Amino acid sequence: MSEKEKEINEEEDAIDLISLIDELLKGMAHFWILILLTAVLLSSFFAWRSLRSFSPTYKVEANVSVATDIGDGSDQSQSTANLLGKVFPYILTSGLLSDIVAEDLGRASVPGKISVTNVPNTPLLTISVTSSSQSDASAILESVINNYPKVAQYVVGSTTLNMIGERKSSVAVSRRSVVIRAVRNGTILSLAMGVILGLFYALTYKTIKTPKDIRSVVNTSYLGTLPVYRKKKRKNSSSAGINILETNVQQSYLEALRQIRTKLERRLNKHHAKVLMVTSSIPGEGKSTVSANLAISMAMNNKNVLLIDADLRNPSLKEVLNVKGSYPGIASVLNGKSSFSQAVSSYENQGIKLHLMFGSDTPTKQIEVLGSPVMKQFLDHVKNRYDLIILDTPPSAMLADAMMLANYVDATLYVIMYDYARRQYVIDGITELTGANVYVAGCVINAGKDEASGYGYGYGKGSYYYGKSKTKTTA
């Protein structure tokens, strides 16, 4: 393997790791309510269990210095300090001192815990005693100070303990510390659970993010990625969608759309396709915005374009293009209630012109009309008038609406929202189309990361649902 191939593999591994971490954090954010609730419940349970049998633990400690006959002159303190540092743990754990203290207190065993720390390279000791009784703790400390020399004389010879300062008493384990420990343990366990859930989410919730993902799940061409569009909200603006004819249009979005248009035109010309269906896997992937701006981009390239809102359940092109007024929809034409000339309207902006047929002002469930022979007759009739007809249709993986039009269109453009729909939905949607012998001209990743910079431009993922729409706007 060449050095260049190794570098590429290492870079891909790093990207995969970063992607996994990103998915892990996203999974934890997805389950944040569950993690928070678990932390509260576990903390409460641990606190209840600890407080139910709680009794405070008292601590008494004293600082002492040790004097011994070992050593002479200026070396006495240093020799004593080094010897005590090595010997005292043995004295304490031998059981001799504990037995003497228990006998001194008239108990079968010491009613507390004795610990001693040595200040390095000094004859200074800190003796600490903890017990459930403050009086017992004080009595144990007093006994240790009085009886320690009796034990130490067998090891280091004659010693004396000299008190330095006053004894200190405190509550070693309080109710507050018990509650704090319970909250800490509950939080740690809930975070561990959150990591497990996040990993489960990251490993199971597979979506489309890159062209590589598209190639790995479907045998369909990748046409490009539309970056997330950052659009400033204005108080007086009534526009709900993205329109590339607006002033100060984001250049990265416009350039990405041009590249997609160029690749798409090449494929449409190769297959002599004039009727293009734009669809997606599930609602909320931005197909209506892509349809509208693709139609505008085609018109900017001197194409005579007819854009039809064929989403009878949730017509949204009027909202995307911010067009006011009431117009007969395509269902009205197909049912013979309106003529084509009555239903078609002109959209003109900055010298760019295209024709539109909006959906019904009142969403309808009479979708069978889309698959009727009248639809084929209508398309055959308008083909001669336009260079390109674009149909904005419902999602193909969840509804049969798009498949009703499959026999009447020449090609399909498939819109995939970045990191949104499960891969299986994408597979199902494209499989339905290819199974009906529909030519899929390619896939577009919508609201993804800009390929040049690697970053998106944050306008947000929309959430349009059939029967009602949420406040977010589809990018």
Side-chain angles (χ1 to χ4, degrees), residues 170-344:
S170 61
V171 179
V173 181
S174 62
R175 290 182 179 272
R176 182 173 180 272
S177 62
V178 167
V179 173
I180 291 175
R181 184 166 61 244
V183 171
R184 180 195 63 196
N185 294 339
T187 301
I188 291 173
L189 284 177
S190 62
L191 286 176
M193 186 196 73
V195 171
I196 294 173
L197 289 175
L199 282 174
F200 177 79
Y201 178 91
L203 296 175
T204 59
Y205 195 89
K206 296 296 185 180
T207 58
I208 300 295
K209 294 182 180 179
T210 66
K212 180 181 177 182
D213 294 335
I214 294 177
R215 291 191 293 268
S216 67
V217 298
V218 290
N219 186 23
T220 306
S221 300
Y222 162 73
L223 300 183
T225 296
L226 290 169
V228 181
Y229 197 101
R230 185 180 298 280
K231 183 177 180 180
K232 294 181 179 179
K233 299 283 186 178
R234 292 188 174 91
K235 293 182 179 179
N236 297 327
S237 175
S238 58
S239 177
I242 299 170
N243 190 331
I244 61 173
L245 294 179
E246 292 179 341
T247 57
N248 300 321
V249 63
Q250 191 166 286
Q251 290 302 312
S252 60
Y253 188 92
L254 186 59
E255 182 58 33
L257 188 63
R258 286 172 181 160
Q259 294 178 9
I260 292 170
R261 181 196 68 193
T262 300
K263 294 178 183 178
L264 181 62
E265 282 183 324
R266 192 179 301 127
R267 285 166 171 75
L268 294 180
N269 291 336
K270 182 179 179 180
H271 287 78
H272 306 289
K274 295 188 67 175
V275 181
L276 175 69
M277 180 173 70
V278 180
T279 188
S280 61
S281 302
I282 60 176
E285 298 198 70
K287 60 176 181 55
S288 296
T289 302
V290 173
S291 299
N293 286 288
L294 180 63
I296 294 172
S297 184
M298 290 288 188
M300 293 170 68
N301 200 32
N302 299 318
K303 295 283 188 181
N304 187 16
V305 181
L306 171 63
L307 175 61
I308 301 175
D309 194 338
D311 191 343
L312 302 185
R313 300 176 191 265
N314 184 35
S316 54
L317 283 180
K318 284 176 63 176
E319 187 176 3
V320 171
L321 295 173
N322 193 30
V323 175
K324 307 299 181 183
S326 179
Y327 301 88
I330 186 172
S332 179
V333 175
L334 297 178
N335 289 325
K337 297 179 180 179
S338 303
S339 65
F340 172 74
S341 59
Q342 291 173 326
V344 71

